[in-house]
């Protein structure tokens, strides 16, 4: 008789589902919101645990499994335009993982097992955590080496100018190559209205003013901001050669990364329709 420990089943499936959802997001180049990914993995871990409870065998039907998988993807990535693509990739990487575990079982492996699509293990809980950590390191290394150009993730950012600070949510996008032409360092692009708190009352440039960066820079002549201002050329889809007004900050911190006094370009428009982030920086 096989003994299954619900806590181990939950933890193992939670960690594996988290990695699978993370992999699906990275492979499709979607913004990674780790809190939502963790919630999606929580759904998967809870389902895997409930299946082993008495009188819950009906949850093992293919329709229930597909429904839970879709719910996991919706929890982690709901609201994006390419949701179907992420869902299909999630099914693909899940099938690959299941095939790998099945192959290990055929080779005589005694660590991991699959029962009606639910992964469980007879290993010690500490070994499960160690194995999960090792899997995360390997997956992270593989994606950084093979799919770095599609990596996008939102992280908290803090901008400091003098004695004032502004906290934003920034998108770290390896596809963004905007850099300071003088220093070669990355440039952050932030919504201009979000940085109003860094200026004295009445001195922050409006969105309309930022649409005309040359005039906006001229308005800073003779003020304390004159030495911090730059006109930054950029290229984007539909914009062959544009200009943005940029200010050099005293300190910029993105996630755990300290960027120091880099340029922050002030965007006259919002960077995303969904409002998931208000700043953008390359990695």
């Amino acid at each position: 008789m096989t003994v299954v420990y619900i806590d181990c089943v939950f933890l193992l499936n939670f960690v594996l589902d988290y990695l699978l959802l993370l992999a699906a997001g990275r492979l499709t180049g979607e913004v990674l919101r780790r809190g939502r990914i963790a919630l999606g993995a929580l759904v998967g871990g809870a389902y895997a645990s409930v299946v082993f409870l008495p009188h819950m065998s009906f949850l093992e039907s293919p329709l229930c499994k597909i429904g839970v998988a879709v719910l996991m993807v919706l929890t982690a990535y709901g609201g994006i335009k390419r949701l179907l693509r992420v869902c299909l990739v999630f099914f693909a990487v899940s099938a690959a993982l299941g095939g790998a575990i099945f192959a290990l079982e055929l080779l005589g492996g005694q660590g991991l097992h699959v029962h009606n699509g639910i992964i469980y293990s007879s290993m010690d809980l500490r070994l499960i955590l160690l194995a999960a950590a090792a899997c995360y390191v390997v997956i992270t290394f593989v994606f950084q080496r093979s799919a770095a150009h599609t990596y996008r993730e939102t992280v908290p950012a803090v901008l400091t100018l003098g004695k004032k600070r502004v906290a934003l949510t920034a998108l770290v996008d390896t596809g963004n190559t905007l850099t300071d032409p003088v220093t070669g360092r990355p440039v952050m692009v932030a919504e201009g209205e979000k940085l109003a708190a860094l200026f004295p009352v009445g001195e922050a440039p409006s969105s309309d003013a930022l649409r005309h960066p040359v005039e906006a820079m001229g308005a800073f002549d003779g003020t304390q901001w004159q030495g911090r201002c730059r006109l930054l050329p950029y290229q984007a889809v539909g914009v062959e050669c544009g200009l943005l007004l940029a200010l050099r900050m005293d300190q910029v911190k993105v996630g755990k990364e300290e960027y120091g006094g880099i340029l922050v370009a002030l965007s006259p428009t919002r960077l995303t329709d969904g409002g998931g982030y208000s700043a953008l920086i390359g990695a």
Side-chain angles (χ1 to χ4, degrees), residues 27-283:
L27 283 174
T28 54
E30 292 299 331
V31 176
L32 304 177
R33 298 184 176 90
R34 294 180 181 271
R36 291 188 57 177
I37 293 175
L39 286 177
L42 187 65
V43 172
Y47 167 76
S49 303
V50 171
V51 165
F52 286 98
L53 296 178
H55 311 298
M56 292 294 179
S57 58
F58 68 92
L59 293 176
E60 298 177 3
S61 67
L63 187 61
C64 284
K65 293 178 183 178
I66 294 174
V68 171
V70 172
L71 179 60
M72 290 168 59
V73 176
L74 284 173
T75 304
Y77 297 102
I80 64 174
K81 294 181 179 180
R82 298 185 294 180
L83 182 61
L84 178 60
R85 181 180 179 183
V86 175
C87 192
L88 292 176
V89 171
F90 174 72
F91 277 108
V93 294
S94 298
L97 175 64
I101 295 175
F102 182 69
L104 288 175
E105 285 190 285
L106 292 179
L107 293 174
Q110 301 298 316
L112 294 175
H113 308 280
V114 179
H115 173 71
N116 289 327
I118 306 301
I119 301 173
Y120 67 96
S121 174
S122 57
M123 294 189 299
D124 182 79
L125 185 59
R126 288 170 296 181
L127 292 178
I128 294 175
L129 292 174
L130 183 61
C135 288
Y136 179 79
V137 171
V138 171
I139 288 177
T140 300
F141 175 78
V142 169
F143 282 126
Q144 285 179 343
R145 298 285 293 184
S146 62
H149 63 286
T150 62
Y151 181 79
R152 305 171 77 220
E153 181 177 14
T154 54
V155 295
V158 178
L159 282 61
T160 303
L161 186 60
K163 296 182 179 181
K164 297 184 178 182
R165 292 185 176 183
V166 168
L168 306 171
T169 298
L171 174 69
V172 180
D173 185 359
T174 53
N176 175 28
T177 59
L178 185 62
T179 56
D180 186 339
V182 177
T183 65
R185 301 204 64 202
V187 173
M188 173 181 282
V189 179
E191 296 174 3
E193 62 180 18
K194 299 292 186 181
L195 304 187
L198 295 176
F199 296 84
V201 178
E203 294 188 19
S206 65
S207 297
D208 290 336
L210 292 175
R211 297 179 190 275
H212 307 281
V214 177
E215 290 82 353
M217 183 173 179
F220 286 137
D221 289 346
T223 69
Q224 59 178 320
W225 310 108
Q226 184 175 0
R228 293 181 178 271
C229 293
R230 289 277 302 278
L231 288 176
L232 189 70
Y234 74 97
Q235 289 182 329
V237 177
V239 181
E240 184 176 350
C241 184
L243 289 174
L244 289 171
L245 177 65
L247 293 177
R248 188 170 300 281
M249 298 291 157
D250 292 327
Q251 180 66 38
V252 174
K253 183 177 181 180
V254 182
K256 297 182 179 179
E257 185 80 15
E258 298 281 358
Y259 283 83
I262 63 172
L263 287 175
V264 175
L266 280 62
S267 172
T269 60
R270 291 193 173 187
L271 299 179
T272 173
D273 293 334
Y277 56 90
S278 54
L280 175 67
I281 192 170

